[in-house]
Amino acid sequence: MEANIAYYCLHKLHKWPHEYLELPRYEKAVVIAAVQMKLKNDKKEAARARRKRG
């Protein structure tokens, strides 16, 4: 999972993976929670858009 978050940081947040990997444990937890919330909201929005299109 940590590699997936590092990948997300690189492509979506424009941060190098080592920047994420060097964070203290509690800061990594905040980043992980934020990324999970973003992905969950994105899935909801996509489902809403699909329903709207019919």
Side-chain angles (χ1 to χ4, degrees), residues 1-37:
M1 171 142 135
E2 198 164 41
N4 291 338
I5 300 296
Y7 177 84
Y8 185 91
C9 288
L10 176 63
H11 288 280
K12 297 293 183 177
L13 304 177
H14 306 291
K15 297 289 181 186
W16 290 105
H18 77 272
E19 291 177 293
Y20 163 75
L21 294 171
E22 291 173 353
L23 291 174
R25 184 177 178 182
Y26 62 92
E27 288 184 17
K28 281 184 188 178
V30 170
V31 172
I32 290 168
V35 169
Q36 288 175 338
M37 286 175 39

